[in-house]
Amino acid sequence: MNKADLHNVLRNKGLKITPQRIIVFDAVVNLGNHPSTDKIIEHIKNNHPNISVATVYKILETFVEHGILKRVKTGKDVMRYDYELEKHHHLYAKDSDRIEDYYDADLNQLLEKYFEQKKIENFKIEEMKLQIIGKFIENK
C-alpha cells in the first residue's frame, strides 16, 4: 500500500489523514518483517523525535481496530504488525524471530472446505491464519 492508497483507506474509514498516522504507517512498511512496537517506536524516534510513544501506541491500536494493520504474535509472545491485508499465513522461525508471509490459495481453499464440513458448534469463523513454525534454510 502506498501513501495514496493509505490516504484513501483512512478517508474511507472516516479517519483524519495526519502526518503522525502517515509516519507510523511508513515505519511499519519500511521496517518490513512485521516489526514490533519497540522497533516502530525506535525508528520513529530516530526520524521524528517529537512524536510521543503514546501517540504511536494509539495510532497502532486505531489502525488495528479499523483493519488497516493486523497484529501477529510470535512464539516469544511479542506483538508485531502486518500491513499486508491480502489473505495469507505466516512462516515463523523461532531461532531468528523472522516472520515471512506465505500465500497459498490451495491451502486457503482446503481450510475453508474443512471447516465448512466440520462445523464447530456455537462458533462462527471470521478469519483463519496459520502460523507455521520452523527454520529458514539458507541456500549455499
Side-chain angles (χ1 to χ4, degrees), residues 1-4 6-7 18-32 35 40 43-44 47-48 59-60 63 68-69 83:
M1 181 181 321
N2 61 35
K3 284 184 185 178
L6 178 60
H7 284 218
T18 66
Q20 293 88 346
R21 286 182 173 157
I22 302 301
I23 288 165
V24 169
F25 188 81
D26 281 347
V28 173
V29 172
N30 290 330
L31 286 167
I40 295 166
H43 178 80
I44 289 170
N47 298 294
H48 305 279
I59 290 170
L60 289 170
F63 283 177
I68 297 167
L69 294 177
Y83 66 90

Side-chain angles (χ1 to χ4, degrees), residues 65-80:
E65 286 174 11
H66 286 86
I68 297 167
L69 294 177
K70 292 197 177 199
R71 283 191 193 99
V72 178
K73 188 176 177 183
T74 69
K76 296 177 181 177
D77 290 334
V78 174
M79 284 299 178
R80 294 172 52 178

Side-chain angles (χ1 to χ4, degrees), residues 32-140:
N33 195 28
H34 309 81
S36 67
T37 308
D38 291 342
K39 293 236 185 251
I40 295 166
I41 289 167
E42 180 183 325
H43 178 80
I44 289 170
K45 284 293 179 193
N46 287 337
N47 298 294
H48 305 279
N50 295 330
I51 298 177
S52 75
V53 170
T55 298
V56 174
Y57 273 104
K58 186 174 181 178
I59 290 170
L60 289 170
E61 191 60 35
T62 299
F63 283 177
V64 170
E65 286 174 11
H66 286 86
I68 297 167
L69 294 177
K70 292 197 177 199
R71 283 191 193 99
V72 178
K73 188 176 177 183
T74 69
K76 296 177 181 177
D77 290 334
V78 174
M79 284 299 178
R80 294 172 52 178
Y81 293 89
D82 190 356
Y83 66 90
E84 181 57 62
L85 301 178
E86 184 181 335
K87 191 174 200 167
H88 67 283
H89 307 283
H90 292 114
L91 303 174
Y92 174 65
K94 285 192 290 187
D95 60 340
S96 63
D97 207 34
R98 180 172 147 196
I99 299 175
E100 295 289 333
D101 294 332
Y102 179 69
Y103 300 88
D104 188 325
D106 293 336
L107 177 59
N108 295 340
Q109 189 175 19
L110 180 76
L111 289 169
E112 287 166 12
K113 282 184 180 179
Y114 175 83
F115 285 106
E116 192 176 286
Q117 293 171 353
K118 189 73 173 172
K119 303 236 189 274
I120 302 171
E121 192 175 321
N122 299 320
F123 188 79
K124 181 183 179 226
I125 296 172
E126 295 176 350
E127 181 180 20
M128 284 183 273
K129 261 194 243 181
L130 289 180
Q131 181 162 293
I132 304 162
I133 300 169
K135 290 183 178 185
F136 289 102
I137 301 167
E138 303 299 325
N139 293 333
K140 295 181 179 188

